[in-house]
Amino acid sequence: MARPDKAAAVAELTDKFRSSNAAVLTEYRGLTVAQLKTLRRSLGENAQYAVVKNTLTKIAAKEAGITLEDQLFAGPTAVAFVTGDPVESAKGLRDFAKENPNLVIKGGVLDGKALSADEIKKLADLESREVLLAKLAGAMKAKQSQTAALFQALPSKLVRTVDALRAKQAEQGGAE
């Protein structure tokens, strides 16, 4: 690997692996240039889809501290480097693969942990980060509202009880 162009390619791939939240390896054999362009658009703004050389990618992954199985580097390989929400890109890949069976998701890596193709499909089934955060915020707000209602109910119940006792005493006092 003494050639400077290969060394530069490995350095670039290593930087992409290090700066990405996730990377998904795919086989693109049989896809046209137009289909690859559509795929790149479907991945979203926070993903970069690049056709790579297997040997250089394997070396770059190792240099980035990522361990990937050798079987992922069989056949023509392209990598989706995800810098944003990995769920959005995983959904884009899954949906594109449904329409175009020539795209095969081989596996990948998420935050340094290797993922199988099935795990990436499970990741695609998750809701986006924004939706999950909105649900969490809604649940927290509901719990706060319930707590506030509980704390408000105790004094008002006490006041009603005291008023009922006062009214009962007034009845008993007036009856005597």
Side-chain angles (χ1 to χ4, degrees), residues 101-125:
N102 287 336
L103 180 75
V104 177
I105 298 172
K106 296 179 182 181
V109 62
L110 175 65
D111 293 328
K113 181 188 176 284
L115 297 176
S116 68
D118 290 335
E119 290 172 323
I120 291 171
K121 289 174 184 167
K122 286 179 186 176
L123 181 66
D125 292 337

Side-chain angles (χ1 to χ4, degrees), residues 139-155:
M140 290 174 69
K141 183 177 179 186
K143 291 295 178 191
Q144 289 175 346
S145 298
Q146 290 172 350
T147 304
L150 176 68
F151 286 135
Q152 190 176 16
L154 292 174

